[in-house]
C-alpha cells in the first residue's frame, strides 16, 4: 500500500523559508511523478508544483514561481518543497501526492495527510 508522509511544516515569519519533505513507501518511488498541493483556510485545494519521476522536469503554479523549488531524492524515496520568500497568503495545509500509474493524474492518485505551514506577517 502506498503511503505518503509529509513533514517540515510550522510557523515562520514573512520572508522566511521552510523546507517540506514527503517520504513515500509501498512501491518503487522512482517510477512515478510527485507533486505538492495546498489548501488555505476557506479556499479550494490548489496545485503548487510537480516533478517527473526522474526529476528532469518540473512545473509550478504561477504564484510560487521563483520562490518555491520542488526536488526529489529517489535513493531516499523523498520529495521536497523548498519554500523561500514566504508570504502570509502561503499559509495553508500542504499535501504531497503521487499518481496511481506512471502516467496518471496526481489529483486522482495517492495523498498524504498534509502538513500545516503558517506564515505570520
Amino acid at each position: 500500500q502506498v503511503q505518503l508522509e509529509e513533514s517540515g511544516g510550522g510557523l515562520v515569519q514573512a520572508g522566511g523559508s521552510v523546507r517540506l519533505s514527503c517520504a513515500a513507501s509501498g512501491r518503487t518511488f522512482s517510477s512515478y511523478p510527485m507533486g505538492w498541493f495546498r489548501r488555505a483556510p476557506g479556499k479550494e485545494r490548489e496545485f503548487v508544483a510537480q516533478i517527473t519521476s526522474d526529476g528532469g522536469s518540473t512545473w509550478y503554479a504561477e504564484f510560487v514561481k521563483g520562490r518555491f523549488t520542488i526536488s526529489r531524492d529517489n535513493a531516499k524515496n523523498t520529495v521536497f518543497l523548498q519554500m523561500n520568500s514566504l508570504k502570509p497568503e502561503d499559509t495553508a495545509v500542504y499535501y504531497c501526492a503521487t499518481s496511481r500509474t506512471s502516467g496518471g493524474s496526481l489529483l486522482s492518485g495517492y495523498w498524504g495527510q498534509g502538513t500545516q505551514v503558517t506564515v505570520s506577517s
Side-chain angles (χ1 to χ4, degrees):
Q1 182 176 352
V2 176
Q3 291 188 323
L4 303 175
E5 184 173 359
E6 302 95 338
S7 61
L11 176 64
V12 61
Q13 288 188 330
S17 298
V18 168
R19 189 193 198 201
L20 304 183
S21 300
C22 173
S25 62
R27 66 180 186 183
T28 304
F29 177 76
S30 60
S31 296
Y32 300 89
M34 298 292 299
W36 289 94
F37 293 76
R38 71 185 188 185
R39 176 173 283 161
K43 295 188 176 181
E44 296 291 319
R45 179 181 58 190
E46 60 185 355
F47 168 78
V48 175
Q50 182 173 342
I51 188 167
T52 53
S53 58
D54 64 357
S57 296
T58 56
W59 296 267
Y60 296 92
E62 195 63 35
F63 56 79
V64 304
K65 281 184 179 178
R67 299 190 299 126
F68 293 8
T69 302
I70 187 172
S71 62
R72 65 191 295 162
D73 185 340
N74 284 344
K76 295 183 178 180
N77 293 351
T78 303
V79 63
F80 305 98
L81 185 67
Q82 178 67 44
M83 307 164 63
N84 299 329
S85 302
L86 284 163
K87 305 175 182 180
E89 52 263 44
D90 293 318
T91 295
V93 177
Y94 285 75
Y95 301 89
C96 73
T98 186
S99 57
R100 293 183 182 272
T101 62
S102 60
S105 165
L106 297 181
L107 284 173
S108 59
Y110 301 102
W111 289 71
Q113 292 300 306
T115 185
Q116 176 72 46
V117 174
T118 302
V119 184
S120 63
S121 57

